[in-house]
């Protein structure tokens, strides 16, 4: 027995042919015969080269083995068409189904021919029976096929087309040269929560309600709609002219979804988000088109918008960002992050009072990357915590070396990310680094953002207090860009503020601005806060800042961020 999986089929076949033969055969003989025949049929179904004459020969052999009455053929054909594919696990295989049709056809022909040859008397009846059986068989096969196709292409819950069918549509649309097409992907918001809170039954009803509405929309507009899986729906718009043709569909789809769904007396609010892509046929295949819409959908979620339109440039930026963020930990290990230092100059004496440490990524392929390219990523992934510590230690070590040349107080100012402040153990880490490097705490300044300082809770307060208790200076960076409130500053353990560059930019250009900034500076000073101005680019700006009493300044006018050696040279002269 080469094919044990036909065993069940053979037993059924043997049973059904039992007593149709005039000359009795033993059960074993019958099974051996039928096994051989079944094995050949099964072999033909899966052979590399299909040979339909196998069916013909099986038909002939049945007659030769004296299974020659029309009934034998009828039962054989019935069994073949209802059972064999299932037993061989080929029910879903279109090729196997086609082959089985051809084999049954040939078997009936072979049987009829052999029966004809065998008994002229029985010929007519046999032929008729053969054709009737064949006809029946084909009809059964076709019915199965329709049923099978329906099941394969339709979502059983909502009755919409399923993913398979949608991808077929999409592939067809993408192949229609010279046309454009659009795809709108829709997800429901918080659908899992409905399932969790109210059960799958309610979840299913919500999906059906949404499917119905989208179905109506698609019918009216002539779009194609499908449920891909879960709460993921898609609309295909053919022959579009421009992106608006699809974004309008997205608008309407989202509007129809928001109608609350009534289930068992519950009124469930439903909302969704969409991702839209519109492109020329041939620009992308079906998978790529769907993926573009999925990406746009994620943008909608990230940006808190109803729908977003896919853009190649943004996607490329995302990919580049993703690559950078994946490369970040390795780069940290290889020491690719180094600090540039920008002078902080005291305005009255013109003396170098300190430097701000600014992170740079010396990327082996992309060159030197500024912090705007990677600090945000490092914050998102959490890599900012080890990165920040590494940079802090680098800055402190460098500052210790500089203190040997400094002829007066000198400090290094290091930026702290919000996430670092929220990280437990920051105070201990800073204390350790000061200890290890031997930097006097007063020579370290930490810059925190307005939001970290002012949107803060008692925990942040404790952290800032802990840092000031170490003797480290704390300043609020980019003061004035957020919702700062000068009056609330005094309750925080702070040493000063850094006025955002936009304040400096407007000096001398807007009526009343200088007076306003002067008031801010003197108020801050009355609270005991030192004021540093950022982004000073001209001598005029420096003069005006000195005029309003600002103590320290930073900007291109005084010096660009540079490598540590240049600062060393400046300190020595
Ligand atoms: P920031 O703390 O406000 O740093 C000042 C930025 O302004 C620096 O950009 C500096 O190069 C730039 N700048 C200096 N003088 C002038 C000027 O006269 N005109 C103009 N237009 N710009 C000037 P950079 O180095 O690209 O840093 C950007 C931001 O990245 C920083 O803004 C800071 O928020 C962040 N950052 C830099 N290094 C670190 C770091 O080590 N840790 C953290 N958490 N953030 C950092
Ligand atoms: Ca800063
Ligand atoms: Ca700043």
């Amino acid at each position: 027995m080469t094919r044990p999986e036909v065993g069940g089929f053979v037993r059924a076949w043997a049973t059904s042919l039992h007593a149709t033969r005039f000359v009795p055969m033993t059960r074993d003989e019958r099974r051996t015969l039928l096994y051989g025949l079944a094995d050949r049929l099964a072999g033909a179904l899966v052979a590399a080269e299909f040979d339909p004459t196998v069916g013909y020969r099986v038909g002939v052999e049945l007659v030769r083995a004296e299974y020659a009455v029309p009934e034998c053929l009828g039962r054989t054909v019935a069994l073949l068409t209802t059972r064999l594919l299932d037993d061989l696990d080929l029910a879903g295989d279109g090729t196997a189904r086609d082959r089985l049709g051809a084999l049954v056809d040939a078997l009936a022909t072979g049987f009829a021919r052999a029966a004809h040859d065998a008994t002229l008397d029985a010929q007519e009846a046999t032929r008729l029976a053969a054709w009737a059986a064949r006809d029946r068989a084909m009809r059964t096969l076709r019915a199965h096929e329709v049923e099978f196709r329906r099941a394969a292409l339709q979502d059983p819950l909502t009755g919409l087309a399923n993913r398979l069918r949608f991808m077929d549509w999409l592939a067809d649309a993408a192949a229609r040269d010279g046309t454009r097409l659009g795809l709108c992907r829709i997800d429901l918001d918080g659908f899992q929560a409905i399932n969790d809170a109210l059960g799958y039954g309610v979840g299913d009803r919500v999906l059906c309600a949404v499917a119905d509405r989208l179905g109506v929309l698609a019918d009216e507009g002539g779009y194609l709609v499908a449920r891909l899986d879960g709460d993921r729906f898609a609309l295909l718009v053919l022959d579009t002219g421009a992106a608006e043709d699809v974004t309008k569909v997205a608008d309407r789809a989202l509007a129809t979804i928001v109608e609350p769904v009534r289930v068992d007396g519950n009124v469930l609010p439903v909302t969704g988000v969409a991702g839209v892509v519109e492109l020329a046929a041939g620009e992308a295949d079906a998978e790529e088109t769907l993926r573009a819409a999925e990406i746009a959908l994620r943008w909608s979620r990230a940006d808190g918008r109803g729908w977003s339109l896919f853009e190649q440039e943004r996607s490329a930026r995302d990919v580049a960002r993703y690559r950078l963020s994946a490369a970040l930990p390795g780069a940290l290990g290889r020491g690719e992050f180094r600090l540039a230092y920008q002078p902080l100059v005291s305005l009255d004496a013109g003396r170098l009072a300190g430097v701000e440490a600014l992170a740079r990524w010396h990327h082996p392929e992309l060159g030197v990357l500024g912090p705007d390219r990677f600090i945000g990523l490092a914050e998102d992934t959490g890599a900012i915590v080890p990165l920040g510590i590494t940079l802090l230690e680098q800055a402190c070590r460098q500052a210790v070396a500089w203190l040997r040349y400094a002829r007066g107080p000198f400090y290094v100012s290091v930026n702290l990310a919000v996430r670092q402040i929220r990280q437990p153990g920051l105070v201990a880490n800073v204390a350790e680094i000061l200890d290890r490097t031997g930097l006097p705490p007063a020579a370290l300044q930490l810059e925190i953002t307005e939001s970290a300082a002012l949107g803060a809770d008692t925990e942040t307060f404790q952290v800032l207090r802990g840092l000031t208790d170490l003797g480290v200076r704390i300043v609020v960076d980019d003061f004035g860009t957020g919702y700062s409130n000068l009056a609330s500053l005094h309750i925080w353990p702070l040493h000063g503020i850094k006025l955002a560059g936009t304040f400096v930019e407007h000096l001398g250009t807007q009526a009343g601005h200088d007076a306003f900034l002067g008031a801010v500076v003197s108020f801050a000073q009355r609270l005991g806060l030192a004021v540093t101005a950022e982004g000073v680019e001209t001598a005029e700006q420096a003069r005006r800042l000195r005029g309003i009493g600002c103590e320290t300044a930073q900007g291109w006018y005084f010096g660009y961020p540079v490598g540590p050696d240049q600062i060393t040279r400046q300190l020595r002269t």
Side-chain angles (χ1 to χ4, degrees):
M1 291 322 117
T2 49
R3 231 174 280 272
E5 62 274 37
V6 299
F9 175 80
V10 169
R11 278 193 295 281
W13 198 6
T15 309
S16 82
L17 294 192
H18 179 66
T20 57
R21 191 170 181 272
F22 300 119
V23 186
M25 215 184 208
T26 68
R27 198 172 130 222
D28 283 344
E29 283 173 315
R30 188 163 69 234
R31 285 210 182 161
T32 309
L33 167 79
L34 296 178
Y35 237 122
L37 298 182
D39 190 57
R40 278 155 68 185
L41 290 170
L45 286 176
V46 296
E49 286 273 358
F50 177 55
D51 177 14
T53 63
V54 170
Y56 186 94
R57 286 193 297 275
V58 169
V60 170
E61 265 170 57
L62 273 176
V63 175
R64 292 216 179 118
E66 312 248 23
Y67 288 111
V69 291
E71 224 182 322
C72 293
L73 179 62
R75 291 185 185 180
T76 297
V77 167
L79 208 58
L80 278 173
T81 53
T82 54
R83 169 141 192 187
L84 187 59
L85 288 178
D86 277 326
D87 282 14
L88 296 175
D89 215 7
L90 292 171
D93 182 339
T95 309
R97 275 198 318 277
D98 291 343
R99 285 181 173 192
L100 182 62
L103 284 173
V104 167
D105 199 346
L107 187 148
T109 310
F111 188 98
R113 187 72 41 81
H116 166 86
D117 292 343
T119 66
L120 274 170
D121 282 355
Q123 188 233 336
E124 188 60 12
T126 310
R127 197 180 66 85
L128 285 178
W131 291 118
R134 176 180 167 279
D135 195 47
R136 223 175 21 248
M138 291 319 274
R139 251 182 290 131
T140 330
L141 265 181
R142 222 165 284 134
H144 275 143
E145 184 159 321
V146 167
E147 177 59 27
F148 179 79
R149 276 198 176 280
R150 204 185 55 74
L153 297 174
Q154 191 179 44
D155 167 37
L157 175 66
T158 63
L160 293 186
N162 68 7
R163 182 193 167 90
L164 212 62
R165 183 156 197 205
F166 190 79
M167 294 316 279
D168 273 352
W169 289 336
L170 196 51
D172 288 348
R176 288 170 58 219
D177 285 344
T179 66
R180 300 184 67 82
L181 63 138
L183 173 57
C184 172
R185 265 278 290 112
I186 298 166
D187 269 12
L188 301 186
D189 291 325
F191 177 68
Q192 196 48 47
I194 296 181
N195 271 340
D196 292 346
L198 303 168
Y200 288 104
V202 173
D204 283 354
R205 308 258 292 272
V206 169
L207 289 177
C208 288
V210 169
D212 285 349
R213 293 172 194 177
L214 292 178
V216 169
L217 176 74
D219 280 348
E220 286 170 2
Y223 323 127
L224 296 164
V225 62
R227 175 180 174 231
L228 302 184
D229 56 55
D231 63 340
R232 304 165 71 234
F233 296 88
L235 286 154
L236 176 62
V237 185
L238 297 174
D239 299 313
T240 52
E244 293 91 83
D245 295 337
V246 197
T247 58
K248 267 187 226 148
V249 176
D251 273 329
R252 292 178 56 199
L254 295 175
T256 157
I257 289 176
V258 294
E259 282 292 306
V261 177
R262 272 162 228 284
V263 181
D264 299 339
N266 291 317
V267 178
L268 301 172
V270 183
T271 55
V273 289
V276 173
V277 57
E278 198 270 343
L279 73 182
E283 233 174 87
D285 67 20
E287 287 291 343
E288 289 162 346
T289 306
L290 180 61
R291 200 171 340 123
E294 305 270 358
I295 289 169
L297 195 147
R298 279 201 294 281
W299 293 345
S300 299
R301 285 222 186 281
D303 303 348
R305 293 160 44 147
W307 55 259
S308 306
L309 181 64
F310 178 80
E311 293 162 53
Q312 195 58 55
E313 301 77 58
R314 179 166 175 185
S315 173
R317 273 201 310 277
D318 283 357
V319 171
R321 276 172 59 85
Y322 172 76
R323 292 225 175 94
L324 272 190
S325 94
L328 226 140
L332 185 57
R334 289 188 298 274
E336 288 173 15
F337 293 94
R338 269 167 267 156
L339 289 166
Y341 298 90
Q342 186 176 31
L344 297 163
V345 175
S346 70
L347 278 167
D348 51 356
R351 200 182 68 84
L352 183 63
V355 288
E356 177 176 359
L358 295 161
R360 301 288 181 262
W361 181 348
H362 295 255
H363 193 287
E365 280 143 36
L366 304 173
V368 180
L369 303 178
D372 295 342
R373 295 282 299 279
F374 60 86
I375 291 290
L377 292 180
E379 288 220 52
D380 292 346
T381 60
I384 191 69
V385 175
L387 174 61
I389 290 294
T390 306
L391 292 175
L392 180 64
E393 177 144 3
Q394 214 178 98
C396 290
R397 225 169 263 294
Q398 184 58 58
V400 169
W402 283 330
L403 281 179
R404 280 188 275 139
Y405 309 112
R407 290 178 213 118
F410 182 86
Y411 59 90
V412 64
S413 194
V414 178
N415 292 283
L416 271 193
V418 176
R419 184 138 179 189
Q420 285 180 274
I421 299 170
R422 307 258 188 275
Q423 182 76 13
L426 176 70
V427 178
N429 279 333
V430 172
E432 248 171 65
I433 288 172
L434 289 171
D435 209 43
R436 222 178 7 245
T437 57
L439 185 71
L444 177 63
Q445 174 170 285
L446 296 173
E447 303 191 7
I448 63 174
T449 63
E450 251 180 322
S451 56
L454 301 171
D457 39 40
T458 46
E459 270 157 50
T460 309
F461 192 94
Q462 298 294 335
V463 171
L464 298 183
R465 173 76 332 128
L467 291 169
T468 33
D469 286 351
L470 290 177
V472 170
R473 302 152 55 111
I474 309 275
V475 296
V476 175
D477 200 1
D478 300 330
F479 183 84
T481 51
Y483 299 94
S484 1
N485 172 356
L486 262 181
S488 71
L489 279 181
H490 77 280
I491 62 163
W492 292 95
L494 295 175
H495 288 75
I497 58 174
K498 292 186 79 178
L499 287 180
T502 44
F503 282 126
V504 174
E505 209 179 297
H506 295 138
L507 277 171
T509 63
Q510 285 174 4
H513 182 75
D514 288 27
F516 159 73
L517 201 57
V520 172
V521 170
S522 67
F523 188 74
Q525 288 167 342
R526 244 178 294 144
L527 294 176
L529 299 170
V531 180
T532 302
E534 289 190 336
V536 182
E537 296 182 354
T538 66
E540 175 66 7
Q541 289 168 342
R543 193 183 62 74
R544 284 176 186 271
L545 285 166
R546 203 176 297 121
I548 59 176
C550 182
E551 298 124 350
T552 312
Q554 171 184 11
W556 297 341
Y557 173 66
F558 297 104
Y560 297 109
V562 291
D565 294 348
Q566 289 197 50
I567 301 292
T568 308
R569 239 170 282 144
Q570 233 175 305
L571 278 169
R572 295 176 80 161
T573 54

